[in-house]
Amino acid sequence: MAELKSLGGEAYLALAQSYGQSAFAYGAEGPRGYAGAGGGDFAGKAAESSGEQSGEEEDAFEAAAKGGKLKAGGLGKKPKEQRSLRLSINARERRRMHDLNDALDGLRSVIPYAHSPSVRKLSKIATLLLAKNYILMQAQALEEMRRLVAYLNQGQALGAPLAPFGQSAVYPFAGSAVPGCPDKCGAFAGASALCKHCSDKP
DNA sequence: TAGGCCATCTGGTCCT
DNA sequence: AGGACCAGATGGCCTA
């Protein structure tokens, strides 16, 4: 896992290959659930316990109550109310985690690595680290391209530039960080809309 | 069998 | 008060 933390395109490529045969072999990820180890099982379990209260969940509640994890009479509620409150909190948390996993699946689907049933699905941490490296690699490639285009435009010396390449309107990477934003969100296109600091500003 | 990864439950904290 | 977020604990499944 340590290798995932390294930066740069080469590192990314090596990594992507270690997770699949080809770094850029896109493929259709199966529907929901896990292609590899233990996958179907988790998905099945989730489906089983999501929504309504499962027997399993009730047992867990009983056990917790017995084990003293649930303070008897906490918040001054009747056990029955307390119980339904706990169950609704559990359901919310489950839903939240499912949403998080959906988002991770979405991220996996756009990371170039071999998506195939025969290849084990990226773990959560691997997905995040790989995505980070991929973004850095793309930014680097873009910067290189920009330099190349600028060079080519210079070569045209007396003629009018052919394209507005290299200008900030086209290249939002050109140090356009939003002033005062601790996240430096402006470094990436469209990030400020998602940036907590910037979107919070009136 | 140990280690990795995961889902779920739970209590605490913060925010609205 | 209720919801969102977080981290710790627990237990199951899979792989080396």
Side-chain angles (χ1 to χ4, degrees):
Chain A
M1 185 59 64
E3 73 271 30
L4 279 171
K5 291 177 180 163
S6 61
L7 308 179
E10 284 173 24
Y12 170 78
L13 289 177
L15 249 175
Q17 274 166 359
S18 76
Y19 272 93
Q21 281 64 35
S22 163
F24 295 96
Y26 284 93
E29 193 174 14
R32 292 285 321 264
Y34 298 82
D41 220 60
F42 281 131
K45 218 189 264 177
E48 179 186 312
S49 62
S50 63
E52 302 311 310
Q53 309 156 7
S54 67
E56 202 176 312
E57 203 170 8
E58 288 180 29
D59 290 347
F61 186 91
E62 302 290 344
K66 278 180 192 165
K69 280 185 175 180
L70 293 173
K71 294 167 196 153
L75 302 176
K77 297 203 172 178
K78 293 177 193 169
K80 200 162 186 177
E81 286 177 65
Q82 194 186 339
R83 176 196 181 90
S84 71
L85 177 64
R86 188 64 252 179
L87 290 177
S88 80
I89 291 173
N90 289 352
R92 255 204 322 275
E93 176 66 6
R94 223 179 293 129
R95 213 178 312 132
R96 196 181 70 83
M97 295 310 294
H98 288 171
D99 288 347
L100 183 61
N101 288 337
D102 285 346
L104 274 167
D105 281 340
L107 187 56
R108 280 186 195 100
S109 71
V110 297
I111 298 178
Y113 78 101
H115 306 264
S116 93
S118 59
V119 174
R120 201 208 299 224
K121 186 174 144 178
L122 284 177
S123 69
K124 294 179 175 181
I125 181 71
T127 300
L128 292 174
L129 293 171
L130 208 54
K132 174 193 160 197
N133 288 349
Y134 182 55
I135 290 169
L136 290 171
M137 191 183 79
Q138 294 295 323
Q140 203 178 340
L142 199 51
E143 182 60 32
E144 233 163 87
M145 185 81 78
R146 198 181 79 155
R147 271 201 288 269
L148 179 63
V149 169
Y151 173 77
L152 290 176
N153 279 346
Q154 265 187 351
Q156 309 249 338
L158 299 176
L162 294 175
F165 273 169
Q167 292 175 10
S168 60
V170 179
Y171 287 93
F173 291 82
S176 58
V178 172
C181 175
D183 285 345
K184 296 184 170 52
C185 62
F188 296 96
S192 62
L194 300 173
C195 175
K196 192 183 173 188
H197 293 91
C198 294
S199 58
D200 282 348
K201 284 181 186 168

